[in-house]
Coordinates of all heavy atoms in Angstrom, one line a residue:
Chain A
A44 N -10.8 13.1 -4.5 CA -11.2 12.8 -5.9 C -9.9 12.5 -6.7 O -8.8 12.9 -6.3 CB -11.8 14.0 -6.5
P45 N -10.1 11.7 -7.7 CA -8.9 11.4 -8.6 C -8.4 12.7 -9.2 O -9.2 13.7 -9.4 CB -9.5 10.5 -9.7 CG -10.7 9.8 -9.0 CD -11.3 10.9 -8.1
K46 N -7.2 12.6 -9.7 CA -6.5 13.8 -10.3 C -5.8 13.2 -11.6 O -5.2 12.2 -11.5 CB -5.5 14.4 -9.4 CG -4.8 15.6 -10.1 CD -3.8 16.2 -9.1 CE -2.6 15.4 -8.9 NZ -1.6 16.1 -8.1
V47 N -5.9 13.9 -12.7 CA -5.3 13.4 -13.9 C -3.8 13.6 -13.8 O -3.3 14.7 -13.5 CB -5.9 14.1 -15.2 CG1 -5.7 15.6 -15.2 CG2 -5.4 13.4 -16.4
L48 N -3.1 12.5 -14.1 CA -1.6 12.6 -14.1 C -1.0 12.6 -15.5 O 0.0 13.3 -15.8 CB -1.1 11.3 -13.5 CG -0.9 11.2 -12.0 CD1 -0.4 9.8 -11.7 CD2 -0.1 12.3 -11.4
I49 N -1.6 11.8 -16.4 CA -1.2 11.7 -17.8 C -2.4 11.7 -18.7 O -3.5 11.1 -18.3 CB -0.4 10.4 -18.0 CG1 0.8 10.3 -17.2 CG2 -0.1 10.2 -19.5 CD1 1.9 11.2 -17.6
Y50 N -2.4 12.4 -19.8 CA -3.5 12.3 -20.8 C -2.9 12.1 -22.2 O -1.7 12.4 -22.4 CB -4.4 13.5 -20.7 CG -3.8 14.8 -21.1 CD1 -3.9 15.4 -22.3 CD2 -3.0 15.5 -20.1 CE1 -3.4 16.6 -22.7 CE2 -2.4 16.7 -20.5 CZ -2.6 17.3 -21.8 OH -2.0 18.5 -22.1
D51 N -3.7 11.7 -23.1 CA -3.2 11.5 -24.5 C -2.0 10.6 -24.5 O -1.0 10.9 -25.2 CB -3.0 12.9 -25.2 CG -4.2 13.6 -25.4 OD1 -5.3 13.1 -25.1 OD2 -4.1 14.8 -26.0
N52 N -2.0 9.6 -23.7 CA -1.0 8.6 -23.6 C 0.3 9.0 -22.9 O 0.8 8.2 -22.1 CB -0.5 8.1 -25.0 CG -1.6 7.5 -25.9 OD1 -2.6 7.0 -25.3 ND2 -1.4 7.5 -27.2
N53 N 0.8 10.2 -23.1 CA 2.1 10.6 -22.6 C 2.2 12.1 -22.2 O 3.3 12.5 -22.0 CB 3.2 10.2 -23.5 CG 3.0 10.8 -24.9 OD1 2.2 11.7 -25.1 ND2 3.6 10.2 -25.9
K54 N 1.1 12.8 -22.2 CA 1.2 14.2 -21.9 C 0.9 14.5 -20.4 O 0.0 13.8 -19.8 CB 0.2 15.0 -22.7 CG 0.5 15.0 -24.2 CD -0.5 15.7 -25.0 CE -0.2 15.6 -26.5 NZ -1.3 16.3 -27.3
R55 N 1.7 15.4 -19.8 CA 1.5 15.7 -18.4 C 0.8 17.1 -18.2 O 1.3 18.1 -18.8 CB 2.8 15.8 -17.6 CG 3.4 14.4 -17.3 CD 4.6 14.6 -16.4 NE 5.6 15.6 -16.9 CZ 6.5 15.4 -17.8 NH1 6.6 14.2 -18.3 NH2 7.3 16.3 -18.3
P56 N -0.2 17.2 -17.4 CA -0.8 18.5 -17.1 C 0.3 19.4 -16.4 O 1.2 18.8 -15.8 CB -2.0 18.2 -16.2 CG -2.3 16.8 -16.4 CD -1.0 16.1 -16.8
S57 N 0.1 20.7 -16.5 CA 1.0 21.5 -15.8 C 1.0 21.2 -14.3 O -0.1 21.0 -13.7 CB 0.7 23.0 -16.0 OG -0.6 23.3 -15.5
G58 N 2.2 21.2 -13.7 CA 2.2 20.9 -12.2 C 2.5 19.4 -11.9 O 2.8 19.1 -10.7
I59 N 2.4 18.6 -12.9 CA 2.7 17.1 -12.6 C 4.2 16.9 -12.9 O 4.7 17.2 -14.0 CB 1.9 16.2 -13.5 CG1 0.4 16.4 -13.3 CG2 2.3 14.8 -13.3 CD1 -0.1 16.2 -11.9
P60 N 4.9 16.4 -11.9 CA 6.4 16.2 -12.1 C 6.7 15.2 -13.2 O 6.0 14.3 -13.5 CB 6.8 15.6 -10.7 CG 5.7 15.9 -9.8 CD 4.5 16.0 -10.6
D61 N 7.9 15.4 -13.8 CA 8.3 14.6 -14.9 C 8.8 13.2 -14.4 O 9.2 12.3 -15.2 CB 9.4 15.2 -15.8 CG 10.7 15.6 -15.0 OD1 10.8 15.2 -13.8 OD2 11.5 16.2 -15.5
R62 N 8.6 13.0 -13.1 CA 8.9 11.6 -12.6 C 7.7 10.6 -13.1 O 7.9 9.4 -13.0 CB 8.9 11.6 -11.0 CG 9.9 12.4 -10.4 CD 9.9 12.2 -8.9 NE 8.7 12.6 -8.2 CZ 7.9 11.7 -7.7 NH1 8.1 10.4 -7.8 NH2 6.8 12.1 -7.0
F63 N 6.6 11.2 -13.5 CA 5.5 10.5 -14.0 C 5.5 10.5 -15.5 O 5.5 11.6 -16.1 CB 4.2 11.1 -13.4 CG 4.0 11.0 -12.0 CD1 4.4 12.0 -11.1 CD2 3.4 9.9 -11.4 CE1 4.3 12.0 -9.8 CE2 3.3 9.8 -10.0 CZ 3.7 10.8 -9.2
S64 N 5.5 9.3 -16.1 CA 5.4 9.3 -17.6 C 4.5 8.2 -18.0 O 4.4 7.2 -17.3 CB 6.9 9.1 -18.1 OG 7.4 7.9 -17.7
G65 N 4.0 8.3 -19.2 CA 3.1 7.3 -19.8 C 3.5 6.9 -21.2 O 4.1 7.7 -21.9
S66 N 3.1 5.7 -21.5 CA 3.4 5.3 -22.9 C 2.3 4.3 -23.3 O 1.5 3.8 -22.4 CB 4.8 4.6 -23.0 OG 4.9 3.5 -22.2
K67 N 2.2 4.0 -24.6 CA 1.3 3.0 -25.1 C 1.9 2.2 -26.2 O 2.6 2.8 -27.1 CB 0.0 3.7 -25.6 CG -1.1 2.8 -25.9 CD -2.3 3.6 -26.6 CE -2.2 3.6 -28.1 NZ -3.5 4.0 -28.7
S68 N 1.6 0.9 -26.2 CA 2.1 0.1 -27.3 C 1.0 -0.9 -27.6 O 0.6 -1.7 -26.7 CB 3.4 -0.6 -26.9 OG 3.8 -1.5 -28.0
G69 N 0.4 -0.9 -28.8 CA -0.6 -1.8 -29.2 C -1.9 -1.6 -28.3 O -2.4 -0.5 -28.2
T70 N -2.3 -2.7 -27.6 CA -3.5 -2.7 -26.8 C -3.1 -2.6 -25.3 O -3.9 -2.9 -24.4 CB -4.3 -3.9 -27.0 OG1 -3.5 -5.1 -26.7 CG2 -4.8 -4.0 -28.4
S71 N -1.9 -2.1 -25.0 CA -1.5 -1.9 -23.6 C -0.9 -0.6 -23.4 O -0.3 0.0 -24.3 CB -0.5 -3.0 -23.1 OG -1.1 -4.3 -23.1
A72 N -1.1 -0.1 -22.2 CA -0.5 1.2 -21.8 C 0.3 1.0 -20.4 O 0.0 0.1 -19.7 CB -1.5 2.3 -21.6
T73 N 1.3 1.9 -20.2 CA 2.0 1.8 -18.9 C 2.2 3.2 -18.4 O 2.3 4.2 -19.1 CB 3.4 1.1 -19.1 OG1 4.1 1.9 -20.1 CG2 3.2 -0.3 -19.6
L74 N 2.2 3.2 -17.0 CA 2.5 4.4 -16.3 C 3.8 4.1 -15.5 O 3.9 3.1 -14.8 CB 1.4 4.8 -15.3 CG 1.7 5.9 -14.3 CD1 1.8 7.2 -15.0 CD2 0.6 5.9 -13.2
D75 N 4.8 4.9 -15.7 CA 6.1 4.8 -15.0 C 6.2 5.9 -14.0 O 5.9 7.1 -14.3 CB 7.3 4.8 -16.0 CG 7.4 3.6 -16.9 OD1 7.0 2.5 -16.4 OD2 7.8 3.7 -18.0
I76 N 6.7 5.5 -12.8 CA 7.0 6.5 -11.8 C 8.4 6.3 -11.3 O 8.7 5.2 -10.8 CB 6.0 6.4 -10.6 CG1 4.5 6.3 -11.1 CG2 6.2 7.5 -9.6 CD1 3.5 6.1 -9.9
T77 N 9.2 7.3 -11.5 CA 10.6 7.1 -11.1 C 10.9 7.9 -9.8 O 10.1 8.8 -9.5 CB 11.6 7.6 -12.2 OG1 11.3 9.0 -12.5 CG2 11.4 6.8 -13.5
G78 N 12.0 7.7 -9.2 CA 12.3 8.4 -8.0 C 11.2 8.4 -7.0 O 10.8 9.4 -6.4
L79 N 10.7 7.1 -6.7 CA 9.5 7.0 -5.8 C 9.7 7.7 -4.5 O 10.7 7.7 -3.8 CB 9.2 5.5 -5.6 CG 8.4 4.8 -6.6 CD1 8.4 3.3 -6.3 CD2 7.0 5.3 -6.7
Q80 N 8.6 8.3 -4.1 CA 8.5 9.0 -2.8 C 7.3 8.4 -2.0 O 6.4 7.9 -2.5 CB 8.3 10.5 -3.0 CG 9.4 11.2 -3.8 CD 9.0 12.6 -4.1 OE1 8.0 13.1 -3.7 NE2 9.9 13.3 -4.9
T81 N 7.4 8.5 -0.7 CA 6.3 7.9 0.2 C 5.0 8.6 -0.2 O 3.9 8.0 0.0 CB 6.6 8.1 1.7 OG1 6.9 9.4 1.9 CG2 7.9 7.2 2.0
G82 N 5.1 9.9 -0.6 CA 3.9 10.6 -0.9 C 3.2 10.2 -2.2 O 2.2 10.7 -2.6
D83 N 3.9 9.2 -2.9 CA 3.3 8.7 -4.2 C 2.3 7.5 -3.8 O 1.6 7.0 -4.7 CB 4.3 8.2 -5.1 CG 5.2 9.3 -5.6 OD1 4.8 10.5 -5.7 OD2 6.4 9.0 -5.9
E84 N 2.3 7.1 -2.6 CA 1.4 6.0 -2.2 C -0.1 6.4 -2.5 O -0.6 7.4 -1.9 CB 1.6 5.6 -0.8 CG 2.8 4.8 -0.5 CD 2.7 4.0 0.8 OE1 1.9 4.4 1.7 OE2 3.4 3.0 1.0
A85 N -0.7 5.7 -3.4 CA -2.1 6.1 -3.8 C -2.6 5.0 -4.7 O -1.9 4.0 -5.0 CB -2.0 7.4 -4.6
D86 N -3.8 5.2 -5.1 CA -4.4 4.3 -6.1 C -4.3 5.0 -7.5 O -4.5 6.2 -7.6 CB -5.9 4.0 -5.9 CG -6.1 3.2 -4.6 OD1 -5.3 2.3 -4.3 OD2 -7.1 3.5 -3.9
Y87 N -4.0 4.2 -8.5 CA -3.8 4.7 -9.9 C -4.7 4.0 -10.8 O -4.8 2.7 -10.8 CB -2.3 4.5 -10.3 CG -1.4 5.3 -9.5 CD1 -0.9 4.9 -8.3 CD2 -1.0 6.6 -10.0 CE1 -0.1 5.7 -7.5 CE2 -0.1 7.4 -9.2 CZ 0.3 6.9 -8.0 OH 1.2 7.7 -7.2
Y88 N -5.4 4.8 -11.7 CA -6.4 4.2 -12.6 C -6.0 4.7 -14.0 O -5.7 5.8 -14.3 CB -7.8 4.8 -12.3 CG -8.4 4.3 -11.0 CD1 -8.1 5.0 -9.8 CD2 -9.1 3.1 -10.9 CE1 -8.7 4.5 -8.6 CE2 -9.6 2.7 -9.7 CZ -9.4 3.4 -8.6 OH -9.9 2.9 -7.4
C89 N -6.2 3.7 -15.0 CA -6.1 4.1 -16.4 C -7.5 4.3 -16.9 O -8.5 3.8 -16.3 CB -5.4 3.0 -17.2 SG -6.1 1.4 -17.1
G90 N -7.6 5.1 -18.0 CA -8.9 5.3 -18.5 C -8.8 5.6 -20.0 O -7.8 6.1 -20.5
T91 N -9.8 5.2 -20.8 CA -9.8 5.4 -22.2 C -11.3 5.3 -22.7 O -12.2 4.8 -22.1 CB -8.9 4.5 -22.9 OG1 -8.8 4.9 -24.3 CG2 -9.5 3.0 -22.9
W92 N -11.4 5.8 -24.0 CA -12.7 5.6 -24.7 C -12.8 4.3 -25.4 O -11.8 3.8 -25.9 CB -12.9 6.7 -25.7 CG -14.1 6.7 -26.5 CD1 -14.3 6.3 -27.8 CD2 -15.4 7.1 -26.0 NE1 -15.6 6.4 -28.1 CE2 -16.3 6.9 -27.1 CE3 -15.9 7.6 -24.8 CZ2 -17.7 7.2 -27.0 CZ3 -17.2 8.0 -24.7 CH2 -18.1 7.7 -25.8
D93 N -13.9 3.6 -25.4 CA -14.1 2.4 -26.1 C -15.0 2.7 -27.3 O -16.2 3.1 -27.1 CB -14.7 1.3 -25.2 CG -14.7 0.0 -25.9 OD1 -15.4 -0.2 -26.9 OD2 -14.0 -1.0 -25.4
S94 N -14.5 2.5 -28.5 CA -15.3 2.9 -29.7 C -16.4 1.9 -30.0 O -17.4 2.3 -30.7 CB -14.3 2.9 -30.9 OG -13.3 3.9 -30.7
S95 N -16.3 0.7 -29.5 CA -17.4 -0.2 -29.7 C -18.6 0.0 -28.7 O -19.7 0.0 -29.1 CB -16.9 -1.7 -29.6 OG -16.0 -2.0 -30.6
L96 N -18.2 0.2 -27.5 CA -19.2 0.4 -26.4 C -19.7 1.9 -26.5 O -20.8 2.2 -25.9 CB -18.7 0.1 -25.1 CG -18.2 -1.3 -24.8 CD1 -17.5 -1.4 -23.4 CD2 -19.5 -2.2 -24.8
T97 N -19.0 2.8 -27.1 CA -19.2 4.2 -27.1 C -19.4 4.7 -25.6 O -20.4 5.3 -25.2 CB -20.4 4.7 -27.9 OG1 -21.6 4.1 -27.4 CG2 -20.2 4.3 -29.4
A98 N -18.3 4.3 -24.8 CA -18.4 4.6 -23.4 C -16.9 4.8 -22.9 O -16.0 4.3 -23.5 CB -19.1 3.6 -22.6
V99 N -16.8 5.5 -21.8 CA -15.5 5.6 -21.1 C -15.3 4.3 -20.3 O -16.2 3.9 -19.6 CB -15.4 6.8 -20.3 CG1 -14.1 6.9 -19.5 CG2 -15.6 8.1 -21.1
L100 N -14.1 3.8 -20.3 CA -13.7 2.7 -19.5 C -12.6 3.1 -18.5 O -11.7 3.8 -18.9 CB -13.2 1.5 -20.3 CG -14.2 0.9 -21.3 CD1 -13.5 -0.2 -22.1 CD2 -15.5 0.3 -20.6
F101 N -12.6 2.5 -17.3 CA -11.5 2.7 -16.4 C -11.0 1.3 -16.0 O -11.7 0.3 -16.0 CB -12.0 3.3 -15.1 CG -12.4 4.8 -15.2 CD1 -13.7 5.2 -15.2 CD2 -11.4 5.7 -15.3 CE1 -14.0 6.5 -15.3 CE2 -11.7 7.1 -15.4 CZ -13.0 7.5 -15.4
G102 N -9.7 1.3 -15.7 CA -9.1 0.0 -15.2 C -9.6 -0.2 -13.8 O -10.2 0.8 -13.2
G103 N -9.3 -1.3 -13.2 CA -9.8 -1.6 -11.9 C -9.0 -0.9 -10.8 O -9.4 -1.0 -9.6
G104 N -7.9 -0.3 -11.2 CA -7.1 0.4 -10.2 C -5.9 -0.4 -9.7 O -6.0 -1.6 -9.5
T105 N -4.8 0.3 -9.4 CA -3.6 -0.3 -8.8 C -3.2 0.4 -7.6 O -3.0 1.7 -7.6 CB -2.5 -0.3 -9.8 OG1 -2.9 -1.1 -11.0 CG2 -1.2 -0.9 -9.2
K106 N -3.0 -0.3 -6.5 CA -2.6 0.4 -5.2 C -1.1 0.3 -5.2 O -0.5 -0.8 -5.2 CB -3.2 -0.4 -4.0 CG -2.8 0.3 -2.7 CD -3.5 -0.4 -1.5 CE -3.1 0.2 -0.2 NZ -3.5 1.7 -0.2
L107 N -0.5 1.5 -5.1 CA 1.0 1.6 -5.0 C 1.4 1.7 -3.6 O 1.0 2.6 -2.9 CB 1.5 2.8 -5.8 CG 2.9 3.2 -5.6 CD1 3.9 2.1 -6.1 CD2 3.3 4.5 -6.3

Side-chain angles (χ1 to χ4, degrees):
Chain A
K46 178 179 77 172
V47 63
L48 276 182
I49 298 289
Y50 66 97
D51 292 358
N52 300 336
N53 54 20
K54 296 178 182 175
R55 285 187 310 275
S57 60
I59 302 299
D61 60 7
R62 300 188 298 108
F63 296 90
S64 63
S66 62
K67 189 185 91 166
S68 178
T70 58
S71 292
T73 58
L74 172 69
D75 289 325
I76 311 173
T77 59
L79 274 173
Q80 302 174 0
T81 56
D83 295 331
E84 285 201 338
D86 293 324
Y87 293 83
Y88 293 89
C89 59
T91 189
W92 179 256
D93 189 294
S94 300
S95 295
L96 297 172
T97 61
V99 175
L100 298 177
F101 290 104
T105 299
K106 183 176 180 61
L107 168 64

